[in-house]
Amino acid sequence: MTKVERAASRRGGKRSGPPEPEFVQLLTPEGDRVSHPDYSVDFTDDELRGLYRDLVTVRKLDAEATALQRQGELGIWASLLGQEAAQVGSGRALRKQDMAFPTYREHGVLYCRNIDPIMPLGLFRGVDQGGWDPVAHRFNMYTIVIGAQTLHATGYAMGVVKDGKVGDDDETSEAVIAYFGDGATSQGDVNEAFIFGSVYNAPIVFFCQNNQYAISEPLERQTRIPLYQRAAGFGFPGIRVDGNDVLATYAVTRAALDNARHGQGPTLIEAYTYRMGAHTTSDDPTRYRVASEVEAWQAKDPVVRMRKLLEKQGIADEAFFAAVDEQAKVEAVALRERVLSMPDPDPATMFDHVYPNGSPLIDKQRAEFETYHASFEGSH
């Protein structure tokens, strides 16, 4: 028996694919539009083509980053492969005044917030700390500590209430979204964020990308009930959406954000999706999941189903698809060239932004470090 077979046996046998859950869906894997009694979208043809362009571009940039890591140009990379619809749908649902708190995988949301895609690659290359302005882009810095960003987001949302920025339909009202994975729901930080968000009626959407695995631990070892149902225990609504359906993800997220902005408190969204690749580039998913499961989810590919929709409705032709692919390749090549040309920072710059107004202790540490570092010059 192989390691994968033993792991499957411990989970109760091989999984040929997840059972179909109940969730909000507006676009089937076959590319057909379906209706839902509570959620809908009214996109123009141009907007639908734009969503497809987002999905393709985000996937291509992500693939380029993975390749760069494999070639030793990045220290690590957390791929979003398979989760593009969850990220693009929710990212495009944000209004410009809303604030997002990501993990370390929300490259698609970052793209939707008009942040230069080079920014997270500088972080994972180790030459900077990310570099974008969280306030200007309404998108906080990546958070590596699992679940910590949910507390940051909740505190920020509580501040929005204290500033009186809820209850109106104009741009003075704000909502907050916190991203995390299914594994993070087992962290105390996330549950504490649920408590504070609920009792303070904070304008926050908790957006869980349930990609079925907390690194190597399958969902059934994380919870005995669907994740979205946990919200009831904290006193706010939860809903599950097909996370591979960009239209449904947009509709559900936009509605939850609007409710939060109007003073109706938190919502937990469980975007039911799948991590097609490794947890990070240091992970080997073949050790803990079977090929048949991956194949079952490949049939639900978020990019493919969007293309099928455009084809079936005559919204796009082969020339459009070819142009999108070509432009995505151009952007990926440009990204690669920019990464390779990144200069190594002066090691002493690690002390620059520890405190906004400096510190005598940090100044002393910097001086000691510079003396130590200089002692190696000319020794080789």
mmCIF file of all heavy atoms in Angstrom, residues 76-96:
data_model
loop_
_atom_site.group_PDB
_atom_site.id
_atom_site.type_symbol
_atom_site.label_atom_id
_atom_site.label_comp_id
_atom_site.label_asym_id
_atom_site.label_seq_id
_atom_site.Cartn_x
_atom_site.Cartn_y
_atom_site.Cartn_z
ATOM 1 N N ILE A 76 9.862 31.068 -1.888
ATOM 2 C CA ILE A 76 8.675 30.225 -1.758
ATOM 3 C C ILE A 76 7.544 30.909 -2.503
ATOM 4 O O ILE A 76 7.606 32.103 -2.793
ATOM 5 C CB ILE A 76 8.311 30.019 -0.263
ATOM 6 C CG1 ILE A 76 7.314 28.856 -0.093
ATOM 7 C CG2 ILE A 76 7.792 31.306 0.351
ATOM 8 C CD1 ILE A 76 7.070 28.488 1.359
ATOM 9 N N TRP A 77 6.514 30.165 -2.849
ATOM 10 C CA TRP A 77 5.339 30.751 -3.489
ATOM 11 C C TRP A 77 4.115 29.947 -3.093
ATOM 12 O O TRP A 77 4.159 28.709 -3.060
ATOM 13 C CB TRP A 77 5.472 30.772 -5.010
ATOM 14 C CG TRP A 77 4.320 31.433 -5.704
ATOM 15 C CD1 TRP A 77 3.348 30.852 -6.467
ATOM 16 C CD2 TRP A 77 4.002 32.846 -5.683
ATOM 17 N NE1 TRP A 77 2.466 31.783 -6.929
ATOM 18 C CE2 TRP A 77 2.842 33.021 -6.463
ATOM 19 C CE3 TRP A 77 4.587 33.962 -5.084
ATOM 20 C CZ2 TRP A 77 2.256 34.275 -6.658
ATOM 21 C CZ3 TRP A 77 4.012 35.198 -5.274
ATOM 22 C CH2 TRP A 77 2.873 35.347 -6.055
ATOM 23 N N ALA A 78 3.036 30.638 -2.786
ATOM 24 C CA ALA A 78 1.755 30.006 -2.464
ATOM 25 C C ALA A 78 0.821 30.225 -3.650
ATOM 26 O O ALA A 78 0.315 31.332 -3.854
ATOM 27 C CB ALA A 78 1.163 30.598 -1.190
ATOM 28 N N SER A 79 0.601 29.188 -4.423
ATOM 29 C CA SER A 79 -0.174 29.304 -5.654
ATOM 30 C C SER A 79 -1.666 29.397 -5.370
ATOM 31 O O SER A 79 -2.176 28.823 -4.409
ATOM 32 C CB SER A 79 0.103 28.085 -6.544
ATOM 33 O OG SER A 79 -0.745 28.089 -7.677
ATOM 34 N N LEU A 80 -2.378 30.094 -6.264
ATOM 35 C CA LEU A 80 -3.838 30.172 -6.161
ATOM 36 C C LEU A 80 -4.523 29.281 -7.204
ATOM 37 O O LEU A 80 -5.746 29.359 -7.374
ATOM 38 C CB LEU A 80 -4.314 31.618 -6.326
ATOM 39 C CG LEU A 80 -3.965 32.416 -7.589
ATOM 40 C CD1 LEU A 80 -4.617 31.910 -8.852
ATOM 41 C CD2 LEU A 80 -4.344 33.869 -7.392
ATOM 42 N N LEU A 81 -3.772 28.427 -7.881
ATOM 43 C CA LEU A 81 -4.323 27.622 -8.969
ATOM 44 C C LEU A 81 -5.580 26.882 -8.529
ATOM 45 O O LEU A 81 -5.560 26.108 -7.589
ATOM 46 C CB LEU A 81 -3.273 26.620 -9.452
ATOM 47 C CG LEU A 81 -3.680 25.723 -10.626
ATOM 48 C CD1 LEU A 81 -3.960 26.562 -11.866
ATOM 49 C CD2 LEU A 81 -2.599 24.689 -10.902
ATOM 50 N N GLY A 82 -6.672 27.130 -9.251
ATOM 51 C CA GLY A 82 -7.952 26.526 -8.932
ATOM 52 C C GLY A 82 -8.870 27.440 -8.151
ATOM 53 O O GLY A 82 -10.085 27.218 -8.092
ATOM 54 N N GLN A 83 -8.317 28.481 -7.543
ATOM 55 C CA GLN A 83 -9.097 29.379 -6.697
ATOM 56 C C GLN A 83 -9.299 30.756 -7.342
ATOM 57 O O GLN A 83 -9.684 31.718 -6.674
ATOM 58 C CB GLN A 83 -8.410 29.532 -5.338
ATOM 59 C CG GLN A 83 -8.281 28.221 -4.576
ATOM 60 C CD GLN A 83 -7.531 28.340 -3.268
ATOM 61 O OE1 GLN A 83 -6.719 27.493 -2.933
ATOM 62 N NE2 GLN A 83 -7.789 29.393 -2.508
ATOM 63 N N GLU A 84 -9.073 30.832 -8.643
ATOM 64 C CA GLU A 84 -9.155 32.132 -9.323
ATOM 65 C C GLU A 84 -10.554 32.753 -9.232
ATOM 66 O O GLU A 84 -10.681 33.968 -9.026
ATOM 67 C CB GLU A 84 -8.760 31.985 -10.797
ATOM 68 C CG GLU A 84 -7.313 31.597 -11.016
ATOM 69 C CD GLU A 84 -7.098 30.094 -11.049
ATOM 70 O OE1 GLU A 84 -8.080 29.347 -10.777
ATOM 71 O OE2 GLU A 84 -5.963 29.649 -11.354
ATOM 72 N N ALA A 85 -11.600 31.946 -9.400
ATOM 73 C CA ALA A 85 -12.954 32.499 -9.388
ATOM 74 C C ALA A 85 -13.322 33.048 -8.019
ATOM 75 O O ALA A 85 -13.979 34.089 -7.905
ATOM 76 C CB ALA A 85 -13.965 31.436 -9.822
ATOM 77 N N ALA A 86 -12.924 32.346 -6.961
ATOM 78 C CA ALA A 86 -13.211 32.814 -5.607
ATOM 79 C C ALA A 86 -12.560 34.170 -5.360
ATOM 80 O O ALA A 86 -13.162 35.059 -4.739
ATOM 81 C CB ALA A 86 -12.730 31.792 -4.584
ATOM 82 N N GLN A 87 -11.344 34.331 -5.874
ATOM 83 C CA GLN A 87 -10.624 35.574 -5.626
ATOM 84 C C GLN A 87 -11.056 36.706 -6.555
ATOM 85 O O GLN A 87 -11.258 37.843 -6.114
ATOM 86 C CB GLN A 87 -9.122 35.321 -5.740
ATOM 87 C CG GLN A 87 -8.619 34.364 -4.668
ATOM 88 C CD GLN A 87 -7.122 34.374 -4.525
ATOM 89 O OE1 GLN A 87 -6.438 35.287 -4.996
ATOM 90 N NE2 GLN A 87 -6.590 33.373 -3.856
ATOM 91 N N VAL A 88 -11.197 36.423 -7.827
ATOM 92 C CA VAL A 88 -11.619 37.471 -8.755
ATOM 93 C C VAL A 88 -13.068 37.884 -8.483
ATOM 94 O O VAL A 88 -13.400 39.078 -8.484
ATOM 95 C CB VAL A 88 -11.448 37.000 -10.216
ATOM 96 C CG1 VAL A 88 -12.124 37.975 -11.177
ATOM 97 C CG2 VAL A 88 -9.975 36.855 -10.556
ATOM 98 N N GLY A 89 -13.935 36.902 -8.222
ATOM 99 C CA GLY A 89 -15.332 37.234 -7.951
ATOM 100 C C GLY A 89 -15.479 38.109 -6.728
ATOM 101 O O GLY A 89 -16.175 39.134 -6.753
ATOM 102 N N SER A 90 -14.818 37.737 -5.638
ATOM 103 C CA SER A 90 -14.912 38.539 -4.416
ATOM 104 C C SER A 90 -14.155 39.847 -4.551
ATOM 105 O O SER A 90 -14.592 40.889 -4.045
ATOM 106 C CB SER A 90 -14.387 37.743 -3.218
ATOM 107 O OG SER A 90 -13.022 37.413 -3.374
ATOM 108 N N GLY A 91 -13.021 39.812 -5.254
ATOM 109 C CA GLY A 91 -12.238 41.024 -5.427
ATOM 110 C C GLY A 91 -12.974 42.087 -6.229
ATOM 111 O O GLY A 91 -12.931 43.276 -5.885
ATOM 112 N N ARG A 92 -13.652 41.667 -7.275
ATOM 113 C CA ARG A 92 -14.409 42.623 -8.082
ATOM 114 C C ARG A 92 -15.690 43.078 -7.381
ATOM 115 O O ARG A 92 -16.266 44.106 -7.728
ATOM 116 C CB ARG A 92 -14.746 42.010 -9.439
ATOM 117 C CG ARG A 92 -13.544 41.819 -10.362
ATOM 118 C CD ARG A 92 -12.848 43.123 -10.626
ATOM 119 N NE ARG A 92 -11.721 42.973 -11.566
ATOM 120 C CZ ARG A 92 -10.761 43.871 -11.736
ATOM 121 N NH1 ARG A 92 -10.772 44.980 -11.014
ATOM 122 N NH2 ARG A 92 -9.788 43.670 -12.590
ATOM 123 N N ALA A 93 -16.139 42.322 -6.375
ATOM 124 C CA ALA A 93 -17.333 42.710 -5.629
ATOM 125 C C ALA A 93 -17.057 43.836 -4.647
ATOM 126 O O ALA A 93 -17.988 44.519 -4.197
ATOM 127 C CB ALA A 93 -17.900 41.499 -4.882
ATOM 128 N N LEU A 94 -15.809 44.031 -4.303
ATOM 129 C CA LEU A 94 -15.450 45.098 -3.379
ATOM 130 C C LEU A 94 -15.701 46.466 -4.016
ATOM 131 O O LEU A 94 -15.417 46.672 -5.193
ATOM 132 C CB LEU A 94 -13.971 44.993 -3.008
ATOM 133 C CG LEU A 94 -13.566 43.840 -2.088
ATOM 134 C CD1 LEU A 94 -12.067 43.609 -2.171
ATOM 135 C CD2 LEU A 94 -13.985 44.127 -0.658
ATOM 136 N N ARG A 95 -16.242 47.372 -3.233
ATOM 137 C CA ARG A 95 -16.326 48.756 -3.683
ATOM 138 C C ARG A 95 -15.023 49.458 -3.315
ATOM 139 O O ARG A 95 -14.271 48.978 -2.466
ATOM 140 C CB ARG A 95 -17.537 49.446 -3.057
ATOM 141 C CG ARG A 95 -18.863 48.767 -3.430
ATOM 142 C CD ARG A 95 -20.062 49.580 -2.987
ATOM 143 N NE ARG A 95 -21.306 48.828 -3.150
ATOM 144 C CZ ARG A 95 -22.012 48.731 -4.270
ATOM 145 N NH1 ARG A 95 -21.570 49.350 -5.361
ATOM 146 N NH2 ARG A 95 -23.132 48.048 -4.325
ATOM 147 N N LYS A 96 -14.753 50.590 -3.956
ATOM 148 C CA LYS A 96 -13.418 51.184 -3.836
ATOM 149 C C LYS A 96 -13.081 51.599 -2.409
ATOM 150 O O LYS A 96 -11.907 51.630 -2.028
ATOM 151 C CB LYS A 96 -13.266 52.363 -4.789
ATOM 152 C CG LYS A 96 -14.179 53.545 -4.500
ATOM 153 C CD LYS A 96 -13.921 54.658 -5.513
ATOM 154 C CE LYS A 96 -14.772 55.890 -5.228
ATOM 155 N NZ LYS A 96 -14.515 56.970 -6.208
#
